[in-house]
């Protein structure tokens, strides 16, 4: 008999039907999505397990990120965790079951983590991580893939991969050196020591550290400000930086020229230029 756990999220016989495709057999939504003031908030919602990522949860997170990407009413995205953790990375209970069943990683890195990271980095609008507590393993990688990290003063980052005999995934080998430099990234990934919020700020891993009680308000403040900004230009800035990270100056100049042409066609650019000349404050509509 197949001993592998059912990772499809399908309800076992007799269970309450899920309330949505992202809910478990008890009707509990593992990822929440809401939009207010132009900001899509995505909340990892398995607080009892420090928001560790199961297959169901990874599928739900990817769905929420794609929804935010395609949502014209959302011009910035806020990613946070429910409870005292941001995200403890891969759910190790599910992982152990997979190891016992002889399926190893069950292709989850390629099937889930990679598309999640590419959807965050490829999002044509700013993504802010509101890091409310520990971000470990792939949970830290999720935060590193975002454009901004607003972090509660009690939060920590733990590059927990080596602690369980794994190498980094979810882009940490790409994002972390770009945040802290190659030598520090090597140290953090090999030694796997947790890094507190204040040290993370010193190292350049995070945008700002705020008192825990102010995290939601401060992260939202940044997100709302970004949601009122020139969305087309923000998307182009992200594309230009990602491209230049792996290309020559000559090639990057070409891409900058193309992106500038696209920005110059945006209504926001036309209106902001007129507003400057009229000595008025520009209002950006995100198009
Ligand atoms: O498929 C693949 O596996 C490949 C992908 C790998 C990517 C990765 O993310 S590898 C890294 C995996 N994550 C970790 O190694 C972190 C493991 N967790 C911890 O080290 C600690 O739990 C924390 C430092 C995150 C928090 O510590 P603490 O003392 O504040 O809380 P706790 O008591 O350890 O955890 C609270 C509960 O969350 C606890 O459940 P319980 O005992 O009350 O029922 C704990 O088991 C659960 N939990 C925490 N992390 C995970 C988890 N459950 C499943 N998976 C986890 N990753």
């Amino acid at each position: 008999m197949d001993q592998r756990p059912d990772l499809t999220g399908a309800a076992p016989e007799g269970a309450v039907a899920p309330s949505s495709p992202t809910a478990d057999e008890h009707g509990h939504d593992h990822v929440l999505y809401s939009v207010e003031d132009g900001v899509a908030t995505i909340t990892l919602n398995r607080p009892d397990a420090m928001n560790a990522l199961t297959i169901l949860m990874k599928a739900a997170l990817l769905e929420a990120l794609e929804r935010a990407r395609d949502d014209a009413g959302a011009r910035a995205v806020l990613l946070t965790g429910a409870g005292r953790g941001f995200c403890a990375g891969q759910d190790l209970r599910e992982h152990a079951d997979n190891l016992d069943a002889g399926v190893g990683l069950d292709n989850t890195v390629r099937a889930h983590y990679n598309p999640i990271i590419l959807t965050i980095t490829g999002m044509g609008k700013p993504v802010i991580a509101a890091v409310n507590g520990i971000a470990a393993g792939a949970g830290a990688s999720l935060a590193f893939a975002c454009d901004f990290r607003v972090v509660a003063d009690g939060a920590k980052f733990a590059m927990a991969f080596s602690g369980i005999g794994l190498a980094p995934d979810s882009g940490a080998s790409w994002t972390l050196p770009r945040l802290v430099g190659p030598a520090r990234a090597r140290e953090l990934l090999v030694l796997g020591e947790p890094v507190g919020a204040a040290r993370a700020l010193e190292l350049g891993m995070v945008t700002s550290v705020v008192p825990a009680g102010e995290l939601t308000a401060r992260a939202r403040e940044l997100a709302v400000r970004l949601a009122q900004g020139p969305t087309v230009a923000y998307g182009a800035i992200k594309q230009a930086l990602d491209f230049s990270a792996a290309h020559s100056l000559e090639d990057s100049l070409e891409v900058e020229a193309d992106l500038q042409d696209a920005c110059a066609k945006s209504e926001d650019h036309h209106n902001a230029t007129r507003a400057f000349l009229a000595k008025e404050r520009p209002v950006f509509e995100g198009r």
Side-chain angles (χ1 to χ4, degrees):
M1 190 182 137
D2 186 0
Q3 293 298 311
R4 290 176 54 186
D6 180 2
L7 304 179
T8 62
E13 215 175 316
V16 179
S19 58
S20 79
T22 66
D24 64 14
E25 68 272 25
H26 307 293
H28 177 76
D29 269 319
H30 288 188
V31 175
L32 307 177
Y33 183 89
S34 62
V35 180
E36 199 182 337
D37 300 327
V39 177
T41 300
I42 297 174
T43 306
L44 303 171
N45 188 35
R46 277 184 83 216
D48 293 348
M50 309 287 275
N51 302 313
L53 298 160
T54 56
I55 297 271
L56 177 66
M57 190 148 167
K58 284 177 272 189
L61 175 58
L62 180 58
E63 190 179 298
L65 287 165
E66 288 172 345
R67 187 170 166 190
R69 178 195 63 197
D70 299 338
D71 190 337
R75 289 168 59 194
V77 182
L78 193 59
L79 177 64
T80 194
R84 69 185 178 90
F86 174 72
C87 175
Q90 169 65 33
D91 185 287
L92 293 179
R93 289 192 174 87
E94 186 182 85
H95 179 71
D97 288 343
N98 279 348
L99 294 182
D100 290 348
V103 294
L105 302 181
D106 203 17
N107 199 36
T108 193
V109 174
R110 287 193 180 82
H112 302 104
Y113 287 116
N114 293 358
I116 286 171
I117 296 304
L118 290 175
T119 307
I120 294 174
T121 56
M123 186 89 64
K125 37 191 126 176
V127 187
I128 304 104
V131 182
N132 50 301
I134 187 114
S141 307
L142 278 182
F144 298 153
C146 295
D147 299 303
F148 297 91
R149 283 153 294 283
V150 181
V151 177
D153 50 6
K156 286 188 178 137
F157 292 88
M159 302 317 299
F161 304 98
S162 64
I164 54 165
L166 288 178
D169 64 21
S170 307
S173 67
W174 197 91
T175 50
L176 192 57
R178 283 167 170 79
L179 291 170
V180 301
R184 284 286 182 216
R186 192 171 292 252
E187 177 191 323
L188 293 169
L189 286 165
V190 172
L191 298 181
E193 307 280 359
V195 181
R199 180 71 179 138
L201 185 63
E202 277 172 14
L203 291 176
M205 287 162 79
V206 309
T207 313
S208 59
V209 176
V210 302
E214 294 175 23
L215 178 71
T216 307
R218 299 280 290 276
R220 267 197 65 76
E221 192 184 334
L222 175 61
V224 170
R225 172 181 155 190
L226 291 166
Q228 293 170 353
T231 313
V232 175
Y234 290 156
I237 291 167
K238 291 179 64 162
Q239 280 187 56
L241 288 171
D242 282 352
F243 185 86
S244 73
H247 291 86
S248 67
L249 173 61
E250 204 175 26
D251 291 345
S252 301
L253 287 169
E254 261 316 299
V255 166
E256 281 183 0
D258 287 344
L259 290 167
Q260 201 67 299
D261 282 343
C263 289
K265 289 184 186 131
S266 70
E267 271 181 45
D268 279 344
H269 170 64
H270 284 245
N271 291 341
T273 306
R274 278 193 289 269
F276 173 78
L277 295 175
K279 299 195 183 302
E280 289 168 0
R281 198 184 158 88
V283 175
F284 295 109
E285 303 286 352
R287 49 180 187 262

